[in-house]
Amino acid sequence: MSCKIKEYADELQETARNLATAGKGILAVDESTNTCGKRLADIGLENTEENRQAYRGMLFTAPDLGRYISGAILFEETLYQNHADGESMVEKLNKQGIIPGIKVDKGLKPLVGALHHETYCSGLDGLTERAAKYYEQGARFAKWRAVLQITNDGCPSKLSIQENAWGLARYARSVQESGLVPIIEPEILMDGDHTIEKTAEVQEEVIKQVYIACQANGVFLEGTLLKPSMTVNGAACPTKADPMKVAEMTIRTMERCVPASVPGIVFLSGGLSEEAASVYLLSLIHI
């Protein structure tokens, strides 16, 4: 473990454990300015900083939000923003017992030399320095999203798996150097007609490679969280797995490839309806 990570080790562990508190989830409010504008447009509001401030301030001051939410992933604008009453958004979250986090990646870019549509996640340049500034502003964890897909012509390629695993590990090491808990997010898209068994096969390889890369980079696993997709069939697969099957395959996949030292797993819901995600989580509890 590096001297810098040793300096933050106890805090990283405590933050990771608190984020993974049973019965609570992580609120993702890290929409970009354009994406937030689409939400505002749905209710007839202009995409201005004042309206974005009001929207996020409304969320962070909702009564008893901290009973259900352990952490909130913020967009950079929000991390440095004040509520309309003059108090910082970070302080609003702290008063609810919610840990502020920050989206640190710079988006997906085409992966040269890989198969069609494959990407890597950008943003490593200067990340340690940016993370230090985010920590100073009150953030205590970070999020970085890598995206892979399953196709009939060979995706994800070995190049894509290796590049995204290495990027996640480099990110994790970089933000830990500045005191932030990294949420490691290797998302596998639901697009496609593949079976749940195929998803499990690919997901095991992806997650195993992520932790091999983390070991090579000296990531302090006790101060991290994993944010994977659930193990589900492709959205266009004619054979739909029932919730108990999804729960069984998801647990099997995680047990096979996630080190015991990782303090928590928080699932992403990309591609799932709120109802499906909730049913799958309840099924996991009953396994």
Side-chain angles (χ1 to χ4, degrees):
M1 191 189 305
S2 75
C3 292
K4 286 294 290 182
I5 294 179
K6 278 183 179 178
E7 178 184 336
Y8 291 109
D10 290 343
E11 183 182 351
L12 289 168
Q13 246 180 310
E14 183 180 5
T15 299
R17 287 172 178 167
N18 288 338
L19 286 168
T21 298
K24 292 187 178 184
I26 295 176
L27 177 65
V29 282
D30 57 330
E31 309 100 330
S32 67
T33 299
N34 288 338
T35 302
C36 193
K38 294 175 183 177
R39 294 179 186 249
L40 293 171
D42 287 342
I43 55 174
L45 291 177
E46 187 180 352
N47 187 12
T48 64
E49 182 177 356
E50 184 180 5
N51 285 336
R52 293 192 298 273
Q53 174 198 52
Y55 164 61
R56 283 158 174 156
M58 174 187 67
L59 293 176
F60 301 160
T61 56
D64 295 326
L65 184 67
R67 289 180 58 191
Y68 312 101
I69 299 298
S70 60
I73 307 169
L74 308 179
F75 191 57
E76 188 173 288
E77 175 186 72
T78 315
L79 181 66
Y80 290 92
Q81 203 169 44
N82 287 337
H83 188 275
D85 65 10
E87 191 170 48
S88 72
M89 294 295 192
V90 167
E91 188 55 32
K92 291 297 185 190
L93 291 170
N94 287 335
K95 283 185 173 179
Q96 294 252 34
I98 297 170
I99 302 168
I102 179 72
K103 174 184 180 292
V104 298
D105 69 70
K106 296 295 184 179
L108 304 175
K109 300 287 178 65
L111 180 58
V112 176
L115 296 174
H116 62 87
H117 304 310
E118 292 194 301
T119 61
Y120 74 96
C121 193
S122 64
L124 287 175
D125 289 349
L127 178 56
T128 302
E129 293 75 19
R130 284 193 288 124
K133 292 178 181 177
Y134 298 148
Y135 182 93
E136 185 179 352
Q137 185 62 22
R140 289 298 178 266
F141 72 97
K143 174 220 170 181
W144 176 285
R145 174 177 173 257
V147 176
L148 301 103
Q149 57 184 323
I150 299 172
T151 67
N152 295 325
D153 61 352
C155 292
S157 65
K158 287 186 178 180
L159 176 59
S160 175
I161 292 172
Q162 291 173 356
E163 178 66 26
N164 281 289
W166 193 256
L168 284 164
R170 292 301 303 153
Y171 137 77
R173 172 60 187 265
S174 296
V175 300
Q176 282 190 332
E177 292 272 345
S178 296
L180 302 183
V181 168
I183 292 183
I184 296 171
E185 183 175 342
E187 178 176 3
I188 297 176
L189 299 177
M190 288 181 58
D191 302 341
D193 59 1
H194 50 278
T195 64
I196 191 171
E197 288 78 15
K198 179 63 176 179
T199 302
E201 175 189 335
V202 171
Q203 195 172 32
E204 282 183 34
E205 178 63 17
V206 167
I207 296 175
K208 283 177 183 176
Q209 291 302 320
V210 166
Y211 285 113
I212 288 171
C214 283
Q215 182 180 29
N217 280 277
V219 175
F220 177 51
L221 293 183
E222 290 83 353
T224 69
L225 293 176
L226 177 67
K227 188 181 180 186
S229 317
M230 288 195 179
T231 308
V232 297
N233 51 256
C237 180
T239 305
K240 307 295 184 186
D242 63 50
M244 289 306 293
K245 177 72 170 179
V246 169
E248 290 167 1
M249 294 294 282
T250 298
I251 289 176
R252 190 189 78 173
T253 301
M254 299 303 122
E255 287 181 338
R256 286 183 173 183
C257 48
V258 181
S261 51
V262 175
I265 297 173
V266 288
F267 290 99
L268 62 88
S269 59
L272 297 174
S273 66
E274 290 182 13
E275 181 180 0
S278 299
V279 169
Y280 292 159
L281 282 172
L282 287 172
S283 299
L284 283 171
I285 294 170
H286 289 98
I287 291 295

